[in-house]
Amino acid sequence: QSALTQPASLSASPGQSITISCTGASTDFGTSKFVSWYQLLPDKAPQLLIYDVTERPSGISSRFSGSKSGNTASLTISGLQADDEADYYCSSYRSNNPFIVFGGGTKLTVL
Amino acid sequence: QVQLNQGGTRILKSSETLSLTCGVSGGSLSGYTWSWIRQPPGRGLEWVGDIDQGGSTNSNPSLKSRVIISVDPSKKQVFLNLSFMTAADTALYYCARVVDNYSMDVWGKGTTVTVSS
């Protein structure tokens, strides 16, 4: 059982927008600024999409955006494309060990 | 551009010790924290542990002190040793660079590890 809860799967059509939620049970997560999102594709190195809740690394498309309200962080992907079909994971830093926790992952299907 | 070099497959028997290496190219080892993360088949990511620029290490309590993480700055390599392997340790093992905000900005492609009884 993961420390952070994500929907197991989502699907949407090309051009649509989707939002993946990531909910933490602890107040630690509720106040954390250190929430990240990663994209995992088969046989590729995972890619950092969002850090510090809302920030995008250089080179990441502006179609990816992050937000957080209370104990739920969200990743929104706008203008869905076929190659957005992937697994997405949220992650957060905790003050108690384990210091890094991940969500269970969301499999996104682009129909 | 920094790359983390991993790959291949390891097959171990129960109770053996896993030894993995992650090579850093295109950048420096120093000044960063380096982390190991694993993904069992069909399951999510799990943080294994990390080592910071001063050589201090942390590991996931779920692994019950079986983890040793070290670095060789001269070879720009990061190492993971995981002892007393069981089938539950079968997973894809990633190394990653951790930046100041605890996100992991560079990842390797992972090494597939299978433990047979």
Side-chain angles (χ1 to χ4, degrees), chain A residues 4 22-35 52-53 68-73 91-96, chain B residues 102:
Chain A
L4 304 176
C22 171
T23 301
S26 71
T27 53
D28 203 9
F29 181 73
T31 56
S32 176
K33 297 183 300 183
F34 303 123
V35 176
D52 288 356
V53 178
K68 187 166 174 277
S69 177
N71 276 36
T72 298
S91 173
S92 179
Y93 170 78
R94 287 163 32 108
S95 56
N96 298 314
Chain B
Y102 307 104

Side-chain angles (χ1 to χ4, degrees), chain A residues 1 34 36 38 40 43-48 50-52 87 89 91 93 97-105, chain B residues 35 37 39 43-48 50 58-61 94 98-110:
Chain A
Q1 187 174 356
F34 303 123
S36 304
Y38 302 91
L40 271 67
D43 299 321
K44 292 188 71 175
Q47 184 168 39
L48 175 65
I50 298 288
Y51 66 95
D52 288 356
D87 293 331
Y89 286 84
S91 173
Y93 170 78
N97 206 2
F99 296 113
I100 303 289
V101 290
F102 290 93
Chain B
S35 189
I37 304 97
Q39 183 177 26
R43 298 181 61 185
L45 299 173
E46 178 184 34
W47 176 72
V48 173
D50 59 31
N58 296 296
S59 60
N60 195 316
Y94 295 104
V98 183
V99 289
D100 288 343
N101 47 27
Y102 307 104
S103 64
M104 298 165 197
D105 70 334
V106 184
W107 294 63
K109 288 187 176 181

Side-chain angles (χ1 to χ4, degrees), chain B residues 8 21-22 28-29 36 42 54 60 62 85 91 97 102 109 112:
Chain B
T21 301
C22 172
S28 175
L29 201 66
W36 290 91
N60 195 316
S62 69
M85 296 282 283
R97 187 176 76 173
Y102 307 104
K109 288 187 176 181
T112 300

Side-chain angles (χ1 to χ4, degrees), chain B residues 1-3 24-30 32 34 76 97:
Chain B
Q1 187 175 355
V2 175
Q3 288 188 323
V24 180
S25 59
S28 175
L29 201 66
S30 62
Y32 293 97
W34 301 90
K76 295 207 294 184
R97 187 176 76 173

Side-chain angles (χ1 to χ4, degrees), chain B residues 41-75:
Chain B
R43 298 181 61 185
L45 299 173
E46 178 184 34
W47 176 72
V48 173
D50 59 31
I51 183 166
D52 69 16
Q53 57 184 314
S56 296
T57 59
N58 296 296
S59 60
N60 195 316
S62 69
L63 296 170
K64 295 183 173 62
S65 302
R66 297 188 293 130
V67 174
I68 298 176
I69 298 173
S70 59
V71 298
D72 183 336
S74 67
K75 294 184 178 179

Side-chain angles (χ1 to χ4, degrees), chain A residues 45-61:
Chain A
Q47 184 168 39
L48 175 65
L49 298 176
I50 298 288
Y51 66 95
D52 288 356
V53 178
T54 62
E55 302 301 307
R56 271 190 315 275
S58 173
I60 298 299
S61 170

